């Protein structure tokens, strides 16, 4: 190491050029590196979606989920399989262990799904298999709203979609809120009977007359001629002109019995922005693309296209991820600038201006070198990386301060600057390497953090490792080299010569200022080491007891002031889409006058969204104005609840946006059993108990709501005598529900093929029509009511299974200020005491499960980190006792953690505080390494232990205080959520 230091100091020009290269390359990397909000992480989950129009939840569970579950259960590395069956659809979510390669798993799942397809019903759509990837979530939503015809609005959105998807960084610009276009043939049932037409003939007629005929070519020796038979339907007129019956000279066409039109499928939802009908384009980026650049390009294209649109079209941008990234980058810049200034103020006060400039150089040098390394490794700049950079601000200068302080000491003794910095770098090299290595050892285990939380958080240790490694190079090579060129003792160093001399070899009683007061405090304490140790241990237990009694408990991930909140509207009853819209509009109108809301996106739904209660009829997503210009999110949500409390017939639930790995409701409890009755009774008992708990709100479960559906019970024997069957019944019933698809065609100007559907007119689509339906058989038309009875039966909304067992999920949110972990433990204790039936089991899922997994890992990581640090320390000092002595400081430093949380009134966050304690271990060890190293040198010189300890404290007080204060100052803005914008002179 000494040879490398000598080479650097004697090749100063080379070191300076390398420094310029690192700063320049780092700056270019900072500008060009892909910037995103959340990290691109791999979630070990695969989603299988199966559609079968009109199928009931029970049939979907039996006929769709059953075959899939049988084939997929044998997959290697499968951790859990969750299935949900609803009307017309079934979904299967496969969760794998984190050591499984997701690409291999995806291929295996597709193979199993292909094998299971043979057992699915004939009319089932092709199953869709896709990976769940956070990168596919939209980074920006562009909404077009205005009082225009649906077709015009869709055309504008489609043209804009083509333009946006041409951008190199845009993966997809999917349109949400656009209804699928179809060709609809409305057949009059009375005319069918008048002309004695069979429904089956109508259904097959279009298929026989809508075909591509490959007639070939005719070659007769005198020429070759292609033969073409135009057979594809190209417009609605051709459909209506098809003959459906010929009677003598009379030809009956579709136009005689039906009306054809180009229209849209029946709406399943309505969407509005700020109360106006809307179509939304969800912009999804390619992996590794720069979100800020993509958003700028998207907005530029929209602005250009908007000039050609009709008047009255409003464009709204929501869920803009680039805003948060810009804010985070600004915060990083402000924090770094503030840290440099604060560090320089402290170092100038202690060491002088030139030394402060050298220490200040280490921060941008380490940062930019770290970002350069991240860019080379192919990582992006995301919120976790930015957090890690801000976290490491105070740690970057520790080595530089130690070297600079030692050199300042030597120059004050008369050393030339080259000799002083050479001596400082060589003398402190191994202590600095050991202290940096212990910090790196602390973060190293975090690279192996499993599960989704680990995938999300792994960018933090990678960033810290890259940045601290760069700081080591800065401290041992760059700072001494630059210091040997510009450093020299000034008036400040001359003023401190006396104190330095007394600390090393002189009379300790002659020390002045802070050093003198410190020595006078330390001297009596050294006479009673046992009492000091017992007092410290007592403080550790007292602080733990105080936090246990008065603290705010434990949380998984800290709550962050939200940018977006959502309001879900729930209502019971068999409501039509229009009736649902009336109720949701009442809520929407109450919220529109609120000035703190930047935009309101409303969606009225026939089917509740995934992870929402089944009776959810609408979801209102609200984007809030900047947090500095409004009340807190919890206060706004309370205001929303008060404004909508008197709307009759509905229940309102509000939810904050969650960031990071925490998702879903605060408490998620799964109850499962093979015995349906026991399961229902247990869930009812739990819900009753939770509803009576005042600290809980939004208590709900995902069971099917009480409802009614009509079942046609067919007498197969009677139907057989009349020449009818189940297939003919199903076909005729679909004429009054969603219609029957009989073919496709591609009209001019359409992007995709349109389905051709036959159905009855709107006034014939009602329950009474079921009793009047006529089924055409070989024996003529027969009333459906002759062999089928319409019976009301309870409706099943959805069927959920986890690992093959019927499962009910109970969810609840806790009131503001109530610890989630405490409520979960209380619930668990009550359930244990209640004595649930043996055939019913339960477990807490969601954030509670992830919190327990994270806590378990972090304890292990902390243990591994301490052991690795012990190895480094034993290697450095060749002493088990001194290694144990240094590590004891890590345990005792937790006193400050607990007292700090008590003072601030904050809960102990498993993820963030756990990581903070681990980071603290590295910082605490650094100071103790410097102290023990100096103590050993003094002892080797023949000094008595207590005298050596006293002089060590006196000598190393200045660098220890400097490194500690600079670390605190670097983190202080983040502790108090302050953004010190020194450029614009604003404190936010």
């Amino acid at each position: 190491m000494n040879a490398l230091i000598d080479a650097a100091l004697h090749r100063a020009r080379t070191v300076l050029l390398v420094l310029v290269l690192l700063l320049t390359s780092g700056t270019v990397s900072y500008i060009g590196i892909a910037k995103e909000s959340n990290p691109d992480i791999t979630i070990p989950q695969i989603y299988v979606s199966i559609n079968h129009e009109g199928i009931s939840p029970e049939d979907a569970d039996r006929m769709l989920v059953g075959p899939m579950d049988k084939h997929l259960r044998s997959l290697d590395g499968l951790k859990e399989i969750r299935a949900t069956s609803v009307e017309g659809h079934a979904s299967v979510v496969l969760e794998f262990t984190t050591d499984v390669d997701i690409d291999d798993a995806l291929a295996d799942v597709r193979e199993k799904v292909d094998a299971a397809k043979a057992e699915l019903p004939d009319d089932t759509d092709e199953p869709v298999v896709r990976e769940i990837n956070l990168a596919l979530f939209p980074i920006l939503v562009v909404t077009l709203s205005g009082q225009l015809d649906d077709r015009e609005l869709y055309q504008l959105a489609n043209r804009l979609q083509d333009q946006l998807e041409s951008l190199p960084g845009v993966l997809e610009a999917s349109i949400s809120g656009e209804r699928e276009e179809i060709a609809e043939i409305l057949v009059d049932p009375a005319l069918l009977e008048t002309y004695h037409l069979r429904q089956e003939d109508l259904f097959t007629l279009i298929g026989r007359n809508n075909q591509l005929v490959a007639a070939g070519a005719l070659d007769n020796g005198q020429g070759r001629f292609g033969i073409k038979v135009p057979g594809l339907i190209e417009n609605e007129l051709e459909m209506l002109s098809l003959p459906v019956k010929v009677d003598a000279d009379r030809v009956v066409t579709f136009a005689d019995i039906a009306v054809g039109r180009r229209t849209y499928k029946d709406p399943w939802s309505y969407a509005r922005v700020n109360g106006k009908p809307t179509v939304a384009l969800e912009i999804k980026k390619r992996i590794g693309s720069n979100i800020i650049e993509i958003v700028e390009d998207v907005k530029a294209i929209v602005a250009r296209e908007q000039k050609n649109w009709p008047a009255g079209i409003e464009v709204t941008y929501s869920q803009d991820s680039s805003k948060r990234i810009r804010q985070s980058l600004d915060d990083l810049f402000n924090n770094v600038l503030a840290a440099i200034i604060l560090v320089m103020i402290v170092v100038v006060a202690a060491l002088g201006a030139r030394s402060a400039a050298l220490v200040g150089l280490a921060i941008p040098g380490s940062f930019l070198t770290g970002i350069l390394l991240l860019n080379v490794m192919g990582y992006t700049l995301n919120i976790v990386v930015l957090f890690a950079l801000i976290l490491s601000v105070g740690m970057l200068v520790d080595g530089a301060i130690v070297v600079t302080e030692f050199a300042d000491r030597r120059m004050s003794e008369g050393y030339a600057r080259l000799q002083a910095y050479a001596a400082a770098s060589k003398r402190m090299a191994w202590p600095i390497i050991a202290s940096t290595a212990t910090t790196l050892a602390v973060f190293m285990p975090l690279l192996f953090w499993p599960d989704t939380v680990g995938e999300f958080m792994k960018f933090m240790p990678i960033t810290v490792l890259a940045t601290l490694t760069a700081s080591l190079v800065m401290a041992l090579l760059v700072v001494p080299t630059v210091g040997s060129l510009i450093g020299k003792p000034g008036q400040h160093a001359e003023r401190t010569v006396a104190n330095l001399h007394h600390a090393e070899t002189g009379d300790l009683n002659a020390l002045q200022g802070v050093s003198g007061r410190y020595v006078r405090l330390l001297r009596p304490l050294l006479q009673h080491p046992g009492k000091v140790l017992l007092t410290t241990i007592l403080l550790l237990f007292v602080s733990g007891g105080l936090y246990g009694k008065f603290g705010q408990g434990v949380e998984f991930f800290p709550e962050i002031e939200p940018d977006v909140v959502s309001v879900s509207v729930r209502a019971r009853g068999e409501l039509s889409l229009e009736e649902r819209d009336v109720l949701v509009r009442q809520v929407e109108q109450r919220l529109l006058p609120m000035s703190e809301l930047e935009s309101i996106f409303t969606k009225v739904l026939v089917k509740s969204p995934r992870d929402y209660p089944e009776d959810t009829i609408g979801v209102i997503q609200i984007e809030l104005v900047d947090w500095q210009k409004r009340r807190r999110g919890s206060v706004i949500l309370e205001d929303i609840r008060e404004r909508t409390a008197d709307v009759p017939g509905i229940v309102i639930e509000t939810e904050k946006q969650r960031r990071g790995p925490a998702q879903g409701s605060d408490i998620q409890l799964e109850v499962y059993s093979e015995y349906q009755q026991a399961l229902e009774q247990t869930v009812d008992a739990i819900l009753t108990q939770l509803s009576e708990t005042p600290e809980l709100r939004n208590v709900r479960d995902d069971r099917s709501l009480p409802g009614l559906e009509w079942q046609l019970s067919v007498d197969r024997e009677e139907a057989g005598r009349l020449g009818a069957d189940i297939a003919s019944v199903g076909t005729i019933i679909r004429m009054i529900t969603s219609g029957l698809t009989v073919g496709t065609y591609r009209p001019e100007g359409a992007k995709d093929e349109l389905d051709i559907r036959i159905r009855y007119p709107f006034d014939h689509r009602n329950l009474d029509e079921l009793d009047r339906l006529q089924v055409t058989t070989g024996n003529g038309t027969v009333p459906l009511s002759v062999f089928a009875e319409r019976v009301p039966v309870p409706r099943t909304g959805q069927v959920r299974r986890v690992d093959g067992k019927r499962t009910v999920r109970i969810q609840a949110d806790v009131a503001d200020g109530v610890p989630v972990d405490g409520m979960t433990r209380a619930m668990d204790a009550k359930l244990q005491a209640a004595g649930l039936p043996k055939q019913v089991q339960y477990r807490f899922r969601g954030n509670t499960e992830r919190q327990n997994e994270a806590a378990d890992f972090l304890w292990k990581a902390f243990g591994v980190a301490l052991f690795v640090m012990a190895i480094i320390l034993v290697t450095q000092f060749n002493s088990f006792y001194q290694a144990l002595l240094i590590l004891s400081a890590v345990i005792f430093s937790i006193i400050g953690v607990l007292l700090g949380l008590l003072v601030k009134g904050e809960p102990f966050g498993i993820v963030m505080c756990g990581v903070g304690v681990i980071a603290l271990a590295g910082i605490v060890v650094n100071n103790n390494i410097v102290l023990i190293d100096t103590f050993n040198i003094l002892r080797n010189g023949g000094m008595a232990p207590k005298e050596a300890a006293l002089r060590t404290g006196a000598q190393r007080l200045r660098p220890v205080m400097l490194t500690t204060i600079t670390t605190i100052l670097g983190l202080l803005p983040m502790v108090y959520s302050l953004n010190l914008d020194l450029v614009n002179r604003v404190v936010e």
Side-chain angles (χ1 to χ4, degrees):
M1 192 67 205
N2 289 347
L4 182 61
I5 294 171
D6 283 334
L9 290 172
H10 290 91
R11 296 288 185 275
R13 294 176 180 83
T14 302
V15 174
L16 291 176
L17 286 175
V18 171
L19 175 62
V20 171
L21 176 63
L22 289 175
L23 294 176
T24 305
S25 302
T27 303
V28 172
S29 295
Y30 177 75
I31 296 171
I33 191 172
K35 301 173 181 68
E36 58 188 1
S37 178
N38 292 315
D40 282 333
I41 64 174
T42 300
I43 300 177
Q45 293 182 3
I46 294 174
Y47 181 77
V48 182
S49 175
I50 317 162
N51 287 320
H52 186 117
E53 190 168 354
I55 195 171
S56 67
E58 298 97 329
D59 290 338
D61 179 58
R62 186 177 69 257
M63 304 181 71
L64 302 182
V65 170
M68 286 292 168
D69 185 85
K70 181 178 69 175
H71 286 80
L72 294 171
R73 189 165 293 281
S74 61
L75 287 166
D76 293 334
L78 184 62
K79 182 179 178 182
E80 185 179 77
I81 180 168
R82 301 189 296 273
T84 304
S85 303
V86 296
E87 182 184 346
H89 178 77
S91 63
V92 180
V93 177
L94 306 162
E95 183 175 356
F96 293 86
T97 55
T98 51
D99 58 343
V100 172
D101 185 278
I102 196 64
D103 294 326
D104 293 340
L106 195 60
D108 293 341
V109 170
R110 288 195 171 114
E111 183 180 338
K112 296 291 185 182
V113 169
D114 288 340
K117 282 194 299 188
E119 302 179 31
L120 299 179
D122 293 337
D123 293 340
T124 302
D125 295 344
E126 182 76 14
V128 177
V129 180
R130 66 175 182 269
E131 175 189 354
I132 297 177
N133 192 332
L134 289 182
L136 299 180
F137 283 66
I139 62 168
L140 178 70
V141 177
V142 183
T143 53
L144 312 181
S145 56
Q147 302 300 331
L148 278 185
D149 178 74
D150 285 348
R151 189 182 301 276
E152 292 180 278
L153 205 55
Y154 297 158
Q155 287 175 349
L156 292 178
N158 280 308
R159 285 199 294 269
L160 183 58
Q161 180 188 40
D162 293 337
Q163 293 290 325
L164 296 179
E165 289 185 343
S166 66
L167 291 172
V170 173
L171 176 66
E172 183 184 7
S174 57
I175 298 177
S176 174
E178 181 183 18
R179 289 159 58 192
E180 186 179 341
E181 196 172 7
I182 61 171
E184 192 173 64
I185 301 175
L186 302 177
V187 178
D188 190 330
L191 292 176
L192 283 179
E193 294 183 32
T194 300
Y195 288 110
H196 303 289
L197 295 172
R198 291 166 52 92
Q199 291 102 336
E200 288 81 358
D201 293 338
L202 296 181
F203 303 152
T204 59
L205 177 66
I206 291 180
R208 294 195 305 268
N209 288 276
N210 185 30
Q211 296 183 8
L212 176 65
V213 179
L218 178 62
D219 189 340
N220 58 6
Q222 298 179 349
R224 179 180 174 85
F225 305 95
I227 307 298
K228 182 179 180 181
V229 181
L232 291 176
I233 294 175
E234 297 183 358
N235 53 58
E236 296 83 2
L237 183 61
E238 290 185 13
M239 276 189 285
L240 295 176
S241 64
L242 292 176
V244 295
K245 184 175 183 179
V246 178
D247 188 4
D249 294 334
R250 177 75 187 276
V251 177
V252 180
T253 66
F254 256 122
D256 295 322
I257 62 169
V259 174
R261 61 180 183 175
R262 187 170 162 183
T263 183
Y264 298 95
K265 283 186 177 180
D266 293 342
W268 286 85
S269 65
Y270 293 145
R272 292 187 293 273
V273 169
N274 298 331
K276 297 180 181 179
T278 187
V279 174
L281 288 94
E282 297 181 343
I283 313 300
K284 301 168 187 175
K285 75 175 187 69
R286 297 186 185 278
I287 293 177
S289 300
N290 191 321
I291 285 184
I292 294 178
E293 293 179 358
I294 294 172
V295 171
E296 289 176 349
D297 292 343
V298 166
K299 290 182 178 180
I301 287 180
V302 173
R304 186 186 68 202
E305 292 292 314
Q306 192 174 5
K307 296 176 182 178
N308 303 319
W309 292 347
I313 298 294
E314 293 184 10
V315 177
T316 306
Y317 300 102
S318 58
Q319 300 181 35
D320 187 349
S321 299
S322 68
K323 283 184 179 179
R324 199 181 333 155
I325 296 174
R326 289 181 186 276
Q327 183 66 48
S328 299
L329 291 174
D330 289 343
D331 291 349
L332 173 65
F333 176 79
N334 293 332
N335 273 276
V336 171
L337 186 59
I340 292 174
I341 293 174
L342 291 173
V343 166
M344 290 186 70
I345 291 173
V346 173
V347 178
V348 164
L351 303 178
R354 291 176 182 269
S355 297
L358 292 173
V359 173
L361 177 65
I363 297 180
S366 302
F367 262 177
L368 293 175
T369 305
I371 291 173
L372 172 62
L373 292 174
L374 290 175
N375 196 25
V376 169
M377 290 187 289
Y379 292 112
T380 60
L381 199 63
N382 52 64
I383 57 172
V384 181
V385 171
L386 293 172
F387 168 76
L389 290 173
I390 295 173
L391 176 68
S392 61
V393 167
M395 295 187 285
L396 298 179
V397 295
D398 288 0
I401 286 176
V402 170
V403 169
T404 305
E405 191 273 342
F406 195 94
D408 182 75
R409 182 190 298 265
R410 287 291 173 259
M411 285 189 293
S412 68
E413 296 171 353
Y415 279 68
R417 57 192 178 196
L418 178 61
Q419 287 76 20
Y421 278 97
S425 186
K426 292 175 183 177
R427 168 67 183 80
M428 305 309 299
W430 288 113
I432 291 173
I433 291 173
S435 61
T436 305
T438 54
T439 307
L440 296 180
V442 164
F443 284 95
M444 194 73 73
L446 299 181
L447 291 173
F448 305 98
W449 198 335
D451 208 4
T452 306
V453 182
E455 286 287 318
F456 187 88
M457 294 299 295
K458 74 176 182 182
F459 292 90
M460 189 193 68
I462 290 172
T463 304
V464 172
L465 292 174
T467 310
L468 287 185
T469 302
S471 74
L472 182 62
V473 176
M474 291 287 160
L476 296 182
L477 298 178
V478 175
V479 169
T481 302
V482 177
S484 68
L485 297 176
I486 68 171
K488 67 175 183 178
Q491 293 181 353
H492 182 277
E494 293 168 3
R495 288 198 304 269
T496 59
V497 169
N499 252 12
L500 295 174
H501 175 74
H502 287 304
E504 291 188 357
T505 59
D507 182 8
L508 291 176
N509 293 322
L511 286 173
Q512 301 296 319
V514 176
S515 298
R517 288 191 291 272
Y518 173 67
V519 167
R520 287 189 287 275
L521 172 66
L522 185 59
R523 190 188 299 275
L525 294 178
L526 289 175
Q527 306 304 318
H528 307 282
K531 293 179 181 179
V532 172
L533 179 61
L534 287 175
T535 303
T536 308
I537 294 174
L538 181 63
L539 276 175
L540 179 63
F541 284 104
V542 168
S543 62
L546 288 173
Y547 187 80
K549 185 172 183 178
F550 302 107
Q552 296 299 310
V554 178
E555 66 179 0
F556 174 50
F557 203 80
E559 278 197 9
I560 301 173
E561 187 61 22
D563 298 324
V564 177
V565 297
S566 68
V567 179
S568 58
V569 184
R570 299 170 57 189
R572 297 289 179 94
E574 305 296 333
L575 302 175
S576 67
L577 182 60
E578 285 72 21
E579 291 171 321
R580 294 167 182 243
D581 188 42
V582 170
L583 292 173
V584 175
R585 275 186 185 273
Q586 294 182 56
V587 177
E588 185 183 44
Q589 294 302 316
R590 304 284 180 94
L591 304 183
L592 283 171
M594 296 180 68
S595 59
E596 294 166 306
L597 313 186
E598 190 167 295
S599 66
I600 299 179
F601 178 69
T602 306
K603 209 163 188 180
V604 187
L605 307 151
V606 170
K607 290 184 179 179
S608 63
R610 187 182 175 189
D611 295 331
Y612 278 82
E614 191 184 344
D615 58 351
T616 301
I617 64 172
V619 176
I620 303 174
Q621 285 191 334
I622 301 170
E623 191 165 6
L624 304 174
V625 298
D626 189 88
W627 65 274
Q628 302 161 8
K629 304 175 183 177
R630 59 170 170 83
R631 298 170 292 174
R632 291 179 58 85
S634 56
V635 178
I636 294 175
L637 290 181
E638 183 61 35
D639 190 4
I640 289 173
R641 287 191 286 269
E642 291 176 1
R643 286 171 179 261
T644 56
D646 60 340
V647 179
I650 63 169
V651 175
I652 295 295
E653 290 183 359
T654 57
E655 185 179 8
K656 296 178 185 177
Q657 174 196 38
R658 293 180 183 267
R659 295 181 188 168
Q663 298 295 330
S665 299
D666 293 330
I667 297 175
Q668 301 175 41
L669 177 67
E670 275 190 357
V671 186
Y672 51 96
S673 174
E674 296 289 354
Y675 300 90
Q676 185 67 24
Q677 184 176 359
L679 180 64
E680 295 284 342
Q681 292 173 350
T682 302
V683 171
D684 287 336
I686 295 174
L687 285 174
T688 301
Q689 187 180 81
L690 297 184
S691 300
E692 296 171 354
T693 306
E695 294 87 358
L696 297 178
R697 63 167 186 251
N698 299 340
V699 179
R700 59 193 183 275
D701 67 285
D702 61 359
R703 288 180 296 175
S704 300
L705 297 173
L708 179 69
E709 64 182 7
W710 293 96
Q711 178 176 294
L712 283 173
S713 180
V714 178
D715 186 336
R716 287 180 170 83
E717 182 179 344
E718 182 65 24
R721 280 197 294 267
L722 297 172
D725 53 31
I726 295 294
S728 60
V729 172
T731 299
I732 193 64
I733 287 176
R734 290 182 66 179
M735 293 285 284
I736 66 170
T737 55
S738 59
L740 192 69
T741 302
V742 295
T744 60
Y745 84 117
R746 187 188 295 272
E748 185 177 353
K751 293 176 63 176
D752 302 305
E753 286 188 335
L754 307 186
D755 287 342
I756 303 172
R757 289 197 173 189
I758 297 180
R759 67 195 306 194
Y760 286 164
F762 181 78
D763 56 351
H764 288 273
R765 298 199 291 268
N766 52 62
L767 283 175
D768 293 336
E769 189 69 25
L770 284 173
D771 301 324
R772 296 192 294 266
L773 283 175
Q774 300 284 329
V775 179
T776 305
T777 70
N779 303 321
T781 57
V782 179
L784 181 61
S785 57
V786 172
F787 58 88
E789 180 183 6
R790 176 161 59 95
V791 181
V793 295
R795 177 177 62 85
T796 301
Q798 66 178 5
V799 178
R800 291 186 72 250
R801 292 185 183 273
V802 176
D803 290 334
K805 295 181 180 179
R806 280 282 186 112
T807 304
V808 176
R809 174 169 289 190
I810 299 172
Q811 301 183 73
D813 295 318
V814 300
D816 291 332
V818 178
V820 176
D821 184 68
M823 286 302 305
T824 305
R825 292 180 184 276
M827 281 179 58
D828 192 27
K830 289 182 180 179
L831 291 174
Q832 296 278 4
L836 301 181
K838 293 182 180 179
Q839 59 266 41
V840 179
Q841 292 85 38
Y842 74 90
R843 58 177 171 173
F844 288 94
R845 304 298 303 271
N847 297 329
T848 302
E849 185 178 40
R850 288 191 286 268
Q851 173 180 308
N852 294 335
E853 291 173 351
D856 183 57
F857 169 77
L858 288 173
W859 274 114
K860 294 176 183 176
F862 189 61
V864 171
L866 288 178
F867 200 90
V868 174
M869 282 194 293
I871 294 173
I872 296 171
L873 294 172
V874 170
T875 303
Q876 170 73 11
F877 299 113
N878 196 27
S879 168
F880 285 112
Y881 170 73
Q882 291 186 348
L884 181 63
L885 186 64
I886 292 173
L887 291 177
S888 67
V890 175
I891 306 301
F892 293 138
S893 65
I894 296 176
I895 297 172
V897 175
L898 298 177
L899 293 179
L901 291 174
L902 272 173
V903 171
K904 283 214 70 185
E906 298 285 347
F908 186 93
I910 290 296
V911 174
M912 303 310 291
C913 287
V915 169
V917 168
I918 291 176
L920 173 68
I923 297 170
V924 170
V925 165
N926 293 352
N927 291 333
N928 287 276
I929 288 175
V930 174
L931 290 170
I932 296 295
D933 180 74
T934 303
F935 174 82
N936 287 339
I937 291 175
L938 295 177
R939 286 285 292 130
N940 292 335
M943 195 173 289
K946 289 185 179 179
E947 181 68 15
L950 194 61
R951 289 194 179 273
T952 295
Q955 285 186 38
R956 308 317 299 166
L957 175 65
R958 188 166 62 158
V960 168
M961 290 296 293
L962 285 175
T963 55
T964 303
I965 291 172
T966 52
T967 301
I968 292 173
L969 291 176
L971 297 176
L972 211 56
M974 189 162 52
V975 171
Y976 289 100
S977 303
L978 293 176
N979 182 22
L980 305 176
D981 189 349
L982 300 176
V983 176
N984 299 311
R985 292 172 294 177
V986 175
V987 178
E988 300 172 345

